[in-house]
Amino acid sequence: MGTLVMKFGGLSVGTPTALTQVLSIILHEREKWDKLLVVVSALEGVTDSLIEATRLAQITNRRGYRRIVATLRTRHLALIDHLPLGTTERKALQADVDRLLFDMLDRLQTIADNPTDELSPQVLDSVTGVGERLAARIVAALIRQNTVRAVAIATDTLVVTDDTFGNAVPDMAASCEQITHNLLPMLERRIVPVITGYIGATPDGQLTTLGRGGSDYTATIIGICAGADEVWLWTDVDGMMTTDPRDFENARAIPTMSYEEVGEMAYFGARVLHPRMVGPLQDARIPLRIKNVFKPQQPGTLISETN
Ligand code: ASP
Ligand code: MG
């Protein structure tokens, strides 16, 4: 069977239990599809913490941002400790976490050394993508541990965007060129790329982000450029809901929807889909599925041309 892109959200990569589910889903689908690509977001709450840390750096609250970085380090290392990894893989991953967070601390120090009145979206984008880099490395290591080849890949070299920092617009032609050259050859070799959501870069290499919840959008971009047959978003709810399940206990998952209907009724757990992710999938006629990581047998919601 063709090419599948699966995106895993922050809740599904945040705990050892959820990650065990994620792993079994990946191993299972890899048997079924010729080519499998995985997109991940940061662990739940990490992006918020990174934004907060950058704010604190900007007002020179060194103690504040250092505390946040220390908490992030503890959280990621504790997660790694609880994963079924061999010693070599675990050590390499711990070193990766330390290096990524150390680099980020360095960046925060530079921000604190050069205080400005306002925190620019450009400065925020230079920090906040680290959550996705951490998550991608963890998921890739976990897959490799199961003797499947997998590589963590940061999208600053794949998703080419304009310089609308904080809500960047991808240049699809340029992105597809990068993806075709740098990512697709791996698929031929049956390697599973574990790709960072949310992150992009301008043609001259300045880091950008696609906006909050932007990993959904990354899945769209990757799906289109890789010529995917389907894009699946894995989350912790049963699918697209009739209403916001926080307000109504009897909110139900909708089995099938058209792309148009999504625009009107886009509740998806406690949030909505990234507003810019559906249009391009519709144009490319790539069906989108929303599924629950904890109930993989359930069909979830299928969004396609007709319902
Ligand atoms: N981690 C980013 C955010 O929280 C992107 C995403 O979750 O899709 O907005
Ligand atoms: Mg997130």
Side-chain angles (χ1 to χ4, degrees), residues 7 9-10 40-48 51 128 131-132 197-198 211-217 271 274:
K7 178 251 166 174
V40 294
S41 12
L43 275 55
E44 190 62 16
V46 165
T47 309
D48 291 326
I51 292 172
T128 54
E132 272 69 15
Y198 185 53
R212 296 309 306 270
S215 302
D216 293 353
Y217 196 20
R271 68 181 186 96
H274 189 283

Side-chain angles (χ1 to χ4, degrees), residues 95-113:
D96 272 354
V97 169
D98 274 336
R99 190 180 44 76
L100 282 168
L101 289 179
F102 189 80
D103 286 353
M104 190 194 60
L105 195 58
D106 215 36
R107 176 85 195 103
L108 292 172
Q109 247 131 29
T110 310
I111 296 168
D113 290 343

Side-chain angles (χ1 to χ4, degrees), residues 122-149:
Q122 179 168 9
V123 168
L124 270 173
D125 279 2
S126 72
V127 175
T128 54
V130 78
E132 272 69 15
R133 292 177 199 262
L134 291 162
R137 281 181 163 77
I138 293 173
V139 173
L142 203 54
I143 300 174
R144 279 196 297 269
Q145 193 63 43
N146 289 268
T147 57
V148 168
R149 294 207 284 170

Side-chain angles (χ1 to χ4, degrees), residues 43-295:
L43 275 55
E44 190 62 16
V46 165
T47 309
D48 291 326
S49 300
L50 292 169
I51 292 172
E52 181 60 15
T54 318
R55 288 220 164 90
L56 292 171
Q58 184 235 343
I59 56 168
T60 345
N61 183 342
R62 294 178 198 269
R63 188 192 286 244
Y65 69 71
R66 282 186 191 135
R67 201 186 51 233
I68 292 179
V69 177
T71 308
L72 286 174
R73 177 171 184 271
T74 310
R75 180 168 169 202
H76 285 86
L77 291 180
L79 178 63
I80 292 167
D81 266 350
H82 287 96
L83 294 177
L85 294 170
T87 317
T88 317
E89 199 66 81
R90 191 186 311 276
K91 287 226 167 86
L93 200 48
Q94 287 162 342
D96 272 354
V97 169
D98 274 336
R99 190 180 44 76
L100 282 168
L101 289 179
F102 189 80
D103 286 353
M104 190 194 60
L105 195 58
D106 215 36
R107 176 85 195 103
L108 292 172
Q109 247 131 29
T110 310
I111 296 168
D113 290 343
N114 301 279
T116 47
D117 289 342
E118 260 177 54
L119 181 56
S120 76
Q122 179 168 9
V123 168
L124 270 173
D125 279 2
S126 72
V127 175
T128 54
V130 78
E132 272 69 15
R133 292 177 199 262
L134 291 162
R137 281 181 163 77
I138 293 173
V139 173
L142 203 54
I143 300 174
R144 279 196 297 269
Q145 193 63 43
N146 289 268
T147 57
V148 168
R149 294 207 284 170
V151 184
I153 297 183
T155 36
D156 51 346
T157 53
L158 298 180
V159 174
V160 183
T161 71
D162 70 0
D163 60 359
T164 316
F165 296 100
N167 201 18
V169 180
D171 174 337
M172 288 304 288
S175 301
C176 285
E177 201 181 308
Q178 291 303 317
I179 289 167
T180 306
H181 282 112
N182 301 315
L183 196 62
L184 301 192
M186 282 183 203
L187 302 178
E188 302 294 340
R189 295 161 56 206
R190 292 282 288 158
I191 296 173
V192 179
V194 182
I195 302 158
T196 57
Y198 185 53
I199 306 172
T202 61
D204 59 350
Q206 299 184 71
L207 294 175
T208 56
T209 64
L210 303 175
R212 296 309 306 270
S215 302
D216 293 353
Y217 196 20
T218 307
T220 290
I221 299 164
I222 300 288
I224 289 172
C225 297
D229 295 281
E230 292 193 24
V231 171
W232 295 4
L233 302 184
W234 288 93
T235 178
D236 66 325
V237 292
D238 292 348
M240 300 291 283
M241 301 289 184
T242 42
T243 50
D244 186 338
R246 286 174 305 183
D247 300 335
F248 296 97
E249 260 176 42
N250 57 354
R252 297 244 175 286
I254 304 160
T256 56
M257 294 176 84
S258 67
Y259 298 110
E260 278 86 12
E261 284 168 325
V262 176
E264 297 153 23
M265 192 165 42
Y267 283 108
F268 162 26
R271 68 181 186 96
V272 294
L273 285 175
H274 189 283
R276 287 185 283 144
M277 86 160 295
V278 178
L281 285 183
Q282 176 172 14
D283 294 342
R285 299 175 183 218
I286 301 176
L288 171 65
R289 232 178 245 284
I290 318 280
K291 282 172 72 76
N292 189 336
V293 157
F294 301 101
K295 301 177 197 165

